[in-house]
């Protein structure tokens, strides 16, 4: 099922706006609560950087691309694109996927929380 999702992301890369709802896999309502853990550092509003960068439009976007945010060298040099798969790995354990990242967050332990928070982000401009 994960492979299917990755394939869909590949096909729909150019159509990111359309792909988002079709990919919704987690529960955005439940994800809202999970996103409370991110809110201290992140907003989903365009251009609103806090301790962490704005997460507006982050899905489908290469890492470290928000204007005006000072990223770590680690994230800038990561070469990652935030599709569902990389985001799942990052949120499970940021420092495992991007050693040296400045995101001071241990990670989400439950796979459901990760899927739900990604669904919430997608449904809210992320
Ligand atoms: C303590 C503050 C903090 C918390 C909590 C936090 N983050 Fe972050 N986040 C950051 C910082 C700082 C960066 C930039 C990291 C770097 O430059 O290495 C970042 C980067 C990111 C990125 C990459 C953005 C980009 O433009 O490449 C994503 C996606 C992300 N965070 C999602 C989340 C989510 C989802 C949560 C909640 C589950 C969360 N973060 C919790 C501080 C935080």
């Amino acid at each position: 099922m994960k492979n299917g999702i990755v394939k869909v992301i590949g096909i729909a890369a150019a159509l990111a706006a359309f792909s988002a709802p079709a990919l919704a896999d987690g529960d955005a309502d439940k994800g809202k609560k999970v996103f409370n853990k991110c809110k201290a550092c992140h907003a989903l509003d365009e251009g609103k950087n806090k301790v962490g960068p704005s997460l507006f439009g982050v899905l489908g976007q290469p890492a470290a691309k928000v204007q005006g945010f000072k990223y770590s060298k680690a994230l800038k040099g990561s070469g990652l694109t935030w599709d569902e798969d990389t985001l799942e790995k990052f949120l499970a354990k940021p420092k495992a996927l991007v050693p040296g990242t400045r995101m001071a967050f241990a990670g989400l332990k439950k796979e459901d929380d990760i899927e739900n928070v990604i669904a919430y982000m997608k449904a809210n401009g992320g």
Side-chain angles (χ1 to χ4, degrees):
M1 174 160 144
K2 288 276 148 57
N3 283 340
I5 291 170
V6 170
K7 229 178 267 162
V8 171
I9 289 176
I11 292 163
L15 302 167
F18 299 105
S19 71
L23 293 170
D25 181 44
D27 182 327
D29 286 340
K30 289 186 185 152
K32 185 170 197 249
K33 222 172 121 194
V34 182
F35 195 75
N36 285 335
K37 298 186 181 175
C38 322
K39 264 189 184 163
C41 302
H42 290 289
L44 281 162
D45 310 282
E46 189 170 11
K48 190 168 177 195
N49 296 332
K50 299 167 90 175
V51 172
S54 161
L55 296 179
F56 177 82
V58 76
L59 273 137
Q61 187 172 268
K65 286 293 179 214
V66 172
Q67 294 287 322
F69 186 81
K70 208 163 176 294
Y71 289 97
S72 64
K73 284 204 181 97
L75 193 60
K76 274 195 284 193
S78 69
L80 292 170
T81 293
W82 295 125
D83 58 28
E84 189 138 351
D85 201 42
T86 49
L87 205 51
E88 276 179 21
K89 287 191 187 125
F90 186 64
L91 296 181
K93 210 171 185 197
K95 291 199 159 79
L97 184 67
V98 185
T101 178
R102 263 212 302 273
M103 175 152 141
F105 183 70
L108 295 169
K109 288 195 187 74
K110 293 188 204 148
E111 204 171 307
D112 279 358
D113 282 356
I114 295 174
E115 290 192 354
N116 293 341
V117 83
I118 291 174
Y120 174 76
M121 286 164 63
K122 277 191 215 159
N124 289 278

